[in-house]
Amino acid sequence: MKRYEKFADDIAELIRSGVLGPGQRVPSVRYASQTYGVSPSTVFQAYYLLERRGLIRARPRSGYFVNTHAPSPFSEPAVSEHVHESTEVDVSELVFSVLDSIKDPNTVPFGSAFPSPMLFPLPRLARSLASASREMDPRLVVTDMSPGNPQLRRQIALRYMVGGLMLPMEELLITNGALEALNLCLQAVTEPGDLVAIEAPAFYACLQVLERLKLKAVEIPVHPRDGIDLGALAQTLARYPIKACWTMTSFQNPMGATLPEAKKQALVELLRGHQVPLIEDDVYAELYYGQHAPKPAKAFDTEGLVMHCGSFAKSLAPGYRVGWVAAGRFAQKVERLKLMTSLCPSMPAQAAIADYLQHGGYDRHLRKLRYALEEQQSAMLAAIARYFPAQTRVSQPAGGYFLWLELPEQTDSLKLFQMALAQGISIAPGPIFSATQRFRNCIRLNYGSPWSEASEKAMETLGRIVRSF
């Protein structure tokens, strides 16, 4: 990381944490240069970068000031009520209607689950794919079928190590995206009819997996800033025979919440006391905006009870469908389940990503991706402030690419979905994120596409529809 980028990150962190509030003056170029020991040129480069990210704004002959809408003055969404009952899941029809809405390329994809493909180094990946395919030993197609390409597993293990987590390669299994990893983990520790603790709101794919496997959900409230409610989870564990807990510990979809490290450790300890496996969905781990990646809950696992699932779909290669799981004590069972179902992901795709991780500049790409996403978040927050009712509550995550909006109580997000779609705008309505189809006045918006005139116009239209309720 260049010096001006590091300095820009330091100022961005002061803004995110509230030390520098909206409208406040940031340190002058001379003061910052003297205080932080950097050249005036470095300070100017940092401030230009922060301007491009929408965090600060220059005022003629006055200096630089924190943007009025960065961070925005919104209140946080409310924490959902803890429902003390298990629920059979039936959300697929709702989910499929949302997924269908983003197939039209002319639709503004605020309802999508993916960032824009334009943010990924697809031409460089294609070169890695061509090179890896030419050099691939044909025998490896069979011998590496499971647990996966050893070079890719080695690269993943190295990334764990850089983050302070030592994992043996033998624990890593390559899968067809993170969703297969999560499916396999759940199958390894449950039987039809079992109870699984999940988040409320939860990523709709989690609900669909439970529905397919005929499992029952027990919803645990999520705080929009620091994640799952451990008190409610403890009550649930004491009351019900929970067989697994599925949670996103960093940049949770849809709320964007991240558990602080101490809370992640407490979560692992709580589940260890009940010997309940934790299925950790960590697909957004690389999309953090600060200087340091958040540690996974897996880092605090001492008994192999945490199954950590990751993917390159959100950070590098959405179409390659390459994910993985570090399954702890369940590694062998998960691998055998995979052999009984899909055998292995594409061997050329695995080899391509292994080559890219080793030679393609993955960390450089990630820095650019994080900056782009943070800029786009700021643009969407500013648009919400301009066009949405003042009562709107909005999450403000420090990573990922989703915002969770709690709209005025009279808003029906399912009707809003249909009305917006008629205007060429896709959104994700709140009920698809709940086994009990709650969150009727909530929506999830995706800011993972480069901001454009069409994005701004869509937000204006969306705000106008919300105000019509």
Side-chain angles (χ1 to χ4, degrees), residues 32 47 67 93 120 123 137 195 211 251 297 299 308 333 352 399 447:
Y47 286 177
N67 194 318
E93 285 305 315
F120 298 110
D137 184 338
L195 274 60
E211 183 177 340
F251 318 125
H308 185 256
K333 188 170 184 180
Y447 56 84

Side-chain angles (χ1 to χ4, degrees), residues 52 96 111 226 230 233 241 335 347 392 409:
R52 292 196 301 272
F96 290 142
D226 59 11
L230 294 189
L233 178 60
E335 182 178 351
M347 298 305 291
T392 302
E409 192 172 346

Side-chain angles (χ1 to χ4, degrees), residues 369-393:
L369 177 60
R370 292 175 197 134
Y371 287 147
L373 292 176
E374 190 170 16
E375 286 179 16
Q376 290 157 207
Q377 185 197 84
S378 180
M380 181 172 274
L381 285 169
I384 293 169
R386 279 193 291 273
Y387 305 124
F388 280 61
Q391 310 96 296
T392 302
R393 294 170 172 260

